[in-house]
Structures are given as structure tokens and as C-alpha cells.
Amino acid sequence: MRYPDGGGLSARERARRERVRLEAAEMFEQGVRPPQVAKRLRVSRKSAYAWQARWREGGTDALASKGPSGRTSRMKPEWRAWLEEALEQGPAAHGWVEDQRWTLARIVVLVARRFHVRFSPAQMWQILHQMGWTVQTPVHRAVERDERAVSTWVKETWPRVERR
């Protein structure tokens, strides 16, 4: 199953789903049939039948969460804590003085320098997403920007250009 954010289920979502499965186990113990379980818990019949089969073989413990699926990340929890701190310090503290923007490429280099492990930009984006960091697009304004000239252009010049 694919999830829209690309990261699978969070710990909270896994716990919620586990509670639903455990409720199903209680219903199976009471003799409730899978179609009624599916209807009451608002899940598919297929899931209810699969849960019942697992419950029959291993009891309630068979419906417990197995934790997040997939391979464990090479990005260790203590590395994440360090990275969080490093990102808060800003790029200048780590040698990028030309501007104060973190890019995925810079973060990849930062982690590679510190831990000698190279992540792809896509992997780094996923790690940052899991850490709660989001993409931010900074607003850049030229120092020489003349707000009055801009508003005049938008009101007078742009309508003429747009008509063409």
C-alpha cells in the first residue's frame, strides 16, 4: 500500500490501527462474524477475514503491531539529534556563507562530513520529513526594490501587456 506522504504510517497511526485490530479480536472472541466486524469497525471484509484467520492461529497477540515495515534507517537517532542542532545553527556555522539557505545537497554534504555516510537527496528529504522539517521557500526581495514603481507597473503596464 502506498501513502500520499511517502513515509508510511506514523507511530500514532500504527497504534490506532492496532487498537482496531484488537477490538476485532474481542469481537471474534464473542463470536461475531467477520462481515459484522468489518461493518462495525468500518474496515474491508477482506481485512476482517484476514484478521480472523490470524486470530485463530495465534490469538490476540497475532494481531499486535509488528512495528514499522521496511529496512531500518542508517540515520541513527543520535545522528538525527545532532543534525537537528546543526540545522538550527544555520549554514554559515558550517561553512556556507554565501547565503543562509539549507538545501538538500548541503545537508547531504554536512551529514557525509560528520558521519562518513552518504545519503541521496531523496533519502535526506525523507529523513528531514520524518524529523518534522518542511520545505520552506524564502521570500527574497532586492534591496533596491521600489514598492511604488512595482505597484505602478502592476496597475498600469501589466494590464496593457496582458491584453496583447
Side-chain angles (χ1 to χ4, degrees), residues 82-91 93-94 102 133:
W82 179 86
L83 179 59
E84 183 93 31
E85 215 172 278
L87 292 174
E88 292 291 344
Q89 293 170 354
H94 300 280
W102 279 117
W133 287 78

Side-chain angles (χ1 to χ4, degrees), residues 5-136:
D5 68 355
L9 297 175
S10 68
R12 180 183 297 156
E13 292 166 327
R14 276 193 308 278
R16 184 184 61 77
R17 288 201 176 176
E18 183 176 27
R19 283 193 304 273
V20 170
R21 289 192 305 274
L22 296 178
E23 269 186 67
E26 290 174 13
M27 290 181 188
F28 295 142
E29 288 172 2
Q30 297 167 2
V32 179
R33 306 278 306 136
Q36 284 79 35
V37 170
K39 191 172 187 177
R40 288 184 197 170
L41 297 179
R42 299 179 68 198
V43 297
S44 70
R45 284 180 170 212
K46 183 178 179 180
S47 291
Y49 276 108
W51 295 344
Q52 185 188 41
R54 284 176 35 204
W55 173 76
R56 268 198 221 123
E57 297 216 356
T60 303
D61 292 341
L63 297 178
S65 175
K66 293 170 183 64
S69 64
R71 200 171 165 199
T72 56
S73 176
R74 291 181 300 157
M75 186 70 159
K76 296 178 174 71
E78 57 272 14
W79 295 4
R80 289 175 190 247
W82 179 86
L83 179 59
E84 183 93 31
E85 215 172 278
L87 292 174
E88 292 291 344
Q89 293 170 354
H94 300 280
W96 289 283
V97 292
E98 51 278 358
D99 65 26
Q100 287 299 298
R101 290 179 289 178
W102 279 117
T103 63
L104 284 173
R106 286 179 177 181
I107 298 170
V108 165
V109 168
L110 182 70
V111 170
R113 282 181 188 164
R114 178 74 164 94
F115 302 111
H116 308 287
V117 175
R118 185 167 281 286
F119 293 97
S120 72
Q123 288 171 312
M124 188 53 65
W125 177 87
Q126 194 167 27
I127 289 166
L128 292 169
H129 180 73
Q130 291 166 354
M131 290 171 61
W133 287 78
T134 59
V135 176
Q136 301 292 313

Side-chain angles (χ1 to χ4, degrees), residues 141 145-156 158:
R141 303 280 178 178
R145 182 180 170 109
D146 181 3
E147 291 298 331
R148 195 175 309 141
V150 170
S151 66
T152 302
W153 186 89
V154 168
K155 289 176 187 169
E156 297 173 13
W158 175 243

